[in-house]
Amino acid sequence: MSEVCGFSIDEYCVKVKDFHGGNLAPGLIIAGFMVDLACRNLPENTLFEVICETPSCIPDAVQLLTPCTAGNQWMHIIDVGRYALSVYDKYSGEGVRVHLNPSKLKKWAAIEEWFFRLKPKSEQDTQEILKQAIEAGTSILDIEKVTITPEYLVKKKKKSVSICPVCNEAYPSNYGALCPACRDDCLPYISETEHMRTA
Ligand code: ZN
């Protein structure tokens, strides 16, 4: 019997229903298998982040099954409309990308109808789509190795802090030899600051 990130399918369906006000969406079942396949192909104990290529369904499955959320910024959504996600080592960028392969849907008519929106929602047989999604599991997916660009990686080096020689205040060292306020003379103050007593 297939599992999703250590949960039985029944357990996962309960989690999805709790999360979605009792509604079991086929997209979340497929997305659950996508997260499962991706995470199983990362080395154990990898500190990872996730990129979702669509804002639909996949981000919810990621938030249900991993520590990555939009709020902690370990999950990134780039809306290019593809049913895909990448899971990667947050320091090295090494990881895997999983996507739904449309050519693998031939033997799953109900999933195909749902995925390509061949029928209006009211005419779709949701139970049959769910049944096929669970039966199909990871067999309708593709997985490939990827390396993520540096802008999505966490820099290991802690940024150091300097004291500006002009204003004697602290700022991140990587801004240069002076703090940007002194360097660019861009502050919104009309007159020189007059120092006042603090105690
Ligand atoms: Zn300064």
Side-chain angles (χ1 to χ4, degrees):
M1 189 64 202
S2 53
E3 285 194 348
V4 173
C5 297
F7 298 102
S8 71
I9 283 296
D10 290 345
E11 288 170 329
Y12 178 61
C13 288
V14 169
K15 278 169 88 77
V16 168
K17 277 186 185 167
D18 286 348
F19 192 66
H20 265 236
N23 183 21
L24 194 56
L28 267 166
I29 300 300
I30 295 170
F33 284 116
M34 294 173 76
V35 174
D36 175 72
L37 179 64
C39 290
R40 273 193 284 120
N41 282 278
L42 279 183
E44 238 176 276
N45 300 319
T46 303
L47 285 175
F48 65 89
E49 295 194 5
V50 181
I51 292 173
C52 303
E53 296 187 25
T54 170
S56 306
C57 295
I58 296 176
D60 286 349
V62 169
Q63 301 200 127
L64 276 172
L65 294 168
T66 79
C68 305
T69 69
N72 66 20
Q73 298 189 320
W74 298 348
M75 179 177 73
H76 315 270
I77 299 170
I78 37 177
D79 183 9
V80 290
R82 298 196 297 191
Y83 214 72
L85 85 163
S86 290
V87 169
Y88 59 95
D89 182 306
K90 61 166 78 190
Y91 300 111
S92 73
E94 301 295 321
V96 290
R97 177 178 182 272
V98 171
H99 74 277
L100 195 157
N101 182 337
S103 71
K104 291 182 173 174
L105 293 181
K106 298 268 181 292
K107 56 182 279 207
W108 307 102
I111 302 177
E112 194 170 40
E113 272 173 18
W114 164 82
F115 188 68
F116 286 101
R117 297 167 201 192
L118 302 178
K119 272 186 187 172
K121 210 167 185 179
S122 56
E123 288 170 33
Q124 288 174 3
D125 182 347
T126 308
Q127 285 316 310
E128 182 60 20
I129 305 169
L130 287 170
K131 190 173 150 264
Q132 290 194 6
I134 291 168
E135 245 178 82
T138 54
S139 73
I140 52 175
L141 307 176
D142 273 359
I143 181 166
E144 64 230 9
K145 286 191 173 162
V146 288
T147 305
I148 305 297
T149 56
E151 57 179 304
Y152 286 98
L153 306 186
V154 174
K155 317 276 179 298
K156 254 186 183 160
K157 247 168 72 187
K158 270 256 164 68
K159 281 177 192 156
S160 61
V161 174
S162 297
I163 298 290
C164 172
V166 177
C167 65
N168 292 314
E169 294 189 31
Y171 68 100
S173 310
N174 64 335
Y175 280 42
L178 301 182
C179 84
C182 296
R183 185 190 61 211
D184 301 337
D185 194 20
C186 59
L187 291 178
Y189 309 125
I190 290 172
S191 60
E192 285 281 295
T193 319
E194 188 187 329
H195 287 275
M196 297 161 71
R197 290 172 64 95
T198 58

